[in-house]
Amino acid sequence: MSDRYEIALIGNPNVGKSTLFNTLTGENVYIGNWPGVTVEKKEGEFEYNGKKFKVVDLPGVYSLTANSIDEIVARDYIINEKPDLVVDIVDATALERNLYLTLQLMEMGANILLALNKMDLARTLGIDIDVDKLEKILGIRVVPISAIKKVGIEDLKKAISEEVKNKRKYNIKYPHFEPYIKKIISILQKDENLKKYNLRYLAIKLLENDKYVEDIIKKSKIWNELNPVLDSIREELSKKYGEADLGIIEERYKVIDNIVKEVVKKKSGKLTTTQMLDDVLTDEKVGILLLIPFLWMLFKFTFDVSAPFSAMIDYIFSLLGDVIKSSISNEFIASLLADGIIRGVGAVLVFFPILAFLFFAISFLEDSGYMARIPYIADRFMNKFGLPGKAIIPLVMGFGCNVPAIMATRTIENEKDRILTILINPLMSCSARLPIYALFAGAFFSAYQGLVVLSMYALGVVLALIIAKIFRKFIFKESPSYLIVELPPYQIPHLKVVLKNTWERVYDFLKKAGTIIVFGVILVWLLSVYGPSGYLGAEALTNPELLSNSWAAVIGKALAPLFAPMGWDWKACSALLFGVIAKEVVVGSLAILYGVGEENLSNIIVNAFTPVSAYAFMAFSLIYLPCIATLGVIRQEIGWKWAVFALAYEMVLAYIVALTITIIGNLIF
Amino acid sequence: MYPLAFAKEGEEVIVKEINAGYGAMQRLTSMGINIGSKIKVVRNQNGPVIVSARGSNIAIGRGLAMKIIVERENNER
């Protein structure tokens, strides 16, 4: 027989929680979402002494006051699921702040074990912690560890296996509040239905004006008796502390200060590497000057290093397509497989190297500690456009590919800030749009090619910032949430942690956004090989005569009048339709539609477009609907409603901009 | 008493008031910045203010730093 227990890991951000989770659970990790929210849920398992332990990784939080989704998720889990043990990971170098969460866990009456992480680092910093004394004062088992160096892990496992059975009661007292707490508990006791909760926790939360707990109690029959008592206590407290909840916070920190005074001895620390680096990296002027090359490196690394891998995957899939076409005699099935399904899967997989390298670079910067400084440096500038400082990273990433860029918005806690940052992201000109610019700039503006292409990127940035400002004003009416971010100490990144984070994020993308991309590609294939007259044959994909009878052409022709002011023919409109798959497809589609190879395309389009209509076409390609992959990832991150909104506003914006360029251009030339 | 945004680099101050909304205040307090706590201003240029509080460095947006009222520690060297 084997015993099974469920334990949870909790701790402040940057305490080394993921490292410990990985060390404890090894490879058996299941990643999902917490019910109803997009917060990632990780579960793993380990065995010790014949007992099985399921490990749930809770989000990194500073407290359990339910300010963010993360905090709500963590709190609800502990209250409702009642794990056998909560392992609270505490940073030994910042014990004071970390104990705030510990006290809240104790208030909840959870069975807790303290893992005192970064003990080695604390020692080098001259911080000495009396573990035995800490254990005694708190009444909780304390195990000193170093998750990174894998020190104390066996001790921790042993302690976990012992503590899952000892359900302990703690005795942290809040001297100035005990009489009030007692009074409230004496009333709460009268309701049998409240017995499933920890009454002391309910009492403290009521004093703290916690809405969630208040809602629970309001349903109770004792509410009428409790309400006046509570009001008078709160009034008394607000005279003393300004607000009742401020009083509780102050009291918690007083308790912490007393504990720290007892157990922590600090020798004078020396100037740390972090201080030295921060003197330079967070300087107002030098910091910005250094940020630019850092972002450039991130960008170059992601897209240049991944390019050969993407090309390889692209090649393999087109080869695979050819093999299937030549080996399956049924032409319809062969084309569906090769041009639809295989091309679709290929379209997903070419993102794989880009994402892998991007997430590797981001995880690397995160683990090093530099990532937390970037929003600090950019905050002021971004705020001017109604964006939070953290929006800088996704925006820069957008120049490469909007898909990973949108996934990078996950670090933005405030939901409105995050939606806004996602909505404007497709305006950052991704690398897939470059072939379109190159084609038209080469054909029409050969003397100023570079400048014209650059003007597209600039147009994207300017539009993104303007749109951000407009949306902030009319849709997300409050100002961006204040930056409050911890700047963790710098460290040399740990390859294993970085690789693991990278893989988890890439996997997530492949699983979720992948299906919609495959579906989109198959849809466009269907529109090309079928027409009002029925099945046209797979040849339509290479034969302009046939293609002009397809649904894609019909749609292009239907759209043509709308774009007549810009002077584009139906072929240009159909090409834009194909751009939904990925914007670089526009170029290939133009070649097919005009019935020439890509190498001769520029000779043809010189006749089909004027310089003004060409420039308008470039701008339209920049702005109009996000590609299917971007749309898929927007839906994955913030839902259908916003994905449709992004699509709609971009279409309108693209039309307005293209029309404006046409009008102004025709006035000048 | 003056807003944290006006404190000088290297100054040690005591937090007297936090005039921000409930959410921002809860977040500050959970990160170790509450009324009565002693914080050291590590960096204060034109952007956010970096303070050292209870063993860690925290960057606070300038707008919020205007709403945190502090007082200079008396017993300076």
Side-chain angles (χ1 to χ4, degrees), chain A residues 278-323:
Chain A
D278 264 346
D279 273 348
V280 181
L281 292 174
T282 64
D283 184 84
E284 190 191 352
K285 295 181 188 74
V286 184
I288 292 176
L289 284 180
L290 285 174
L291 174 63
I292 296 164
F294 266 119
L295 291 178
W296 180 243
M297 263 154 55
L298 175 70
F299 184 77
K300 284 303 254 187
F301 174 79
T302 301
F303 298 104
D304 289 2
V305 181
S306 67
F309 295 97
S310 290
M312 222 150 74
I313 290 173
D314 203 25
Y315 178 75
I316 291 170
F317 274 86
S318 62
L319 203 69
L320 200 63
D322 290 345
V323 169

Side-chain angles (χ1 to χ4, degrees), chain A residues 1-7 43-56 82-85 160-161 164-165 167:
Chain A
M1 74 153 246
S2 71
D3 297 325
R4 282 188 66 91
Y5 297 99
E6 183 161 324
I7 65 168
E43 285 173 17
E45 248 182 19
F46 74 89
E47 260 187 65
Y48 187 84
N49 253 351
K51 292 176 196 151
K52 270 201 176 146
F53 297 91
K54 180 175 153 194
V55 187
V56 176
K82 296 195 175 72
D84 296 301
L85 183 70
I160 289 172
S161 74
V164 282
K165 279 180 272 174
K167 306 264 167 155

Side-chain angles (χ1 to χ4, degrees), chain A residues 62-63 65 67 93-94 96-97 100 208 245-246 249-250 253 257 278-279 282-284 376 379-380 413 482-487, chain B residues 22-35 43 45-48 50 54-61 63-64 67:
Chain A
Y62 292 103
S63 86
T65 39
N67 264 314
T93 65
E96 279 178 89
R97 201 203 57 221
Y100 191 75
E208 215 179 348
D245 50 339
L246 289 180
I249 292 162
E250 205 179 308
Y253 276 116
D257 285 346
D278 264 346
D279 273 348
T282 64
D283 184 84
E284 190 191 352
Y376 161 78
D379 193 56
R380 223 164 83 96
E413 298 102 358
Y482 294 120
L483 177 80
I484 308 174
V485 65
E486 189 188 348
L487 306 180
Chain B
Y22 183 80
M25 205 200 65
Q26 285 285 354
R27 198 159 157 75
L28 281 174
T29 53
S30 65
M31 292 174 85
I33 300 171
N34 65 306
I35 291 171
R43 211 175 253 301
Q45 294 170 327
N46 269 319
I50 302 180
R54 297 178 200 274
S56 52
N57 280 3
I58 292 159
I60 299 170
L64 184 56
K67 297 183 171 179

Side-chain angles (χ1 to χ4, degrees), chain A residues 529-541:
Chain A
V529 296
Y530 277 94
S533 59
Y535 183 58
L536 304 169
E539 231 187 297
L541 294 171

Side-chain angles (χ1 to χ4, degrees), chain A residues 33 36-40 69-70 359 386-392 394-395 403-426 468 471-472 476 478-481 508 512 632-639 642 646:
Chain A
N33 273 2
V37 289
T38 50
V39 180
E40 186 183 88
I69 309 172
D70 286 356
F359 286 136
L387 292 165
K390 287 183 178 173
I392 182 83
L395 286 186
V403 171
I406 285 168
M407 289 171 81
T409 61
R410 289 182 183 178
T411 55
I412 301 172
E413 298 102 358
N414 182 293
E415 193 63 14
K416 286 182 178 174
D417 291 355
R418 183 157 174 254
I419 293 172
L420 179 61
T421 310
I422 289 177
L423 287 179
I424 60 164
N425 200 283
F471 282 179
R472 175 58 81 183
F476 309 100
E478 55 205 61
S479 42
S481 58
D508 206 32
K512 291 186 192 149
V633 82
I634 295 178
R635 185 203 66 97
Q636 173 198 316
E637 295 297 315
I638 51 176
W642 288 113

Side-chain angles (χ1 to χ4, degrees), chain A residues 426-438:
Chain A
L427 292 172
M428 307 307 284
S429 187
C430 69
S431 54
R433 289 168 234 187
L434 191 59
I436 308 177
Y437 307 154

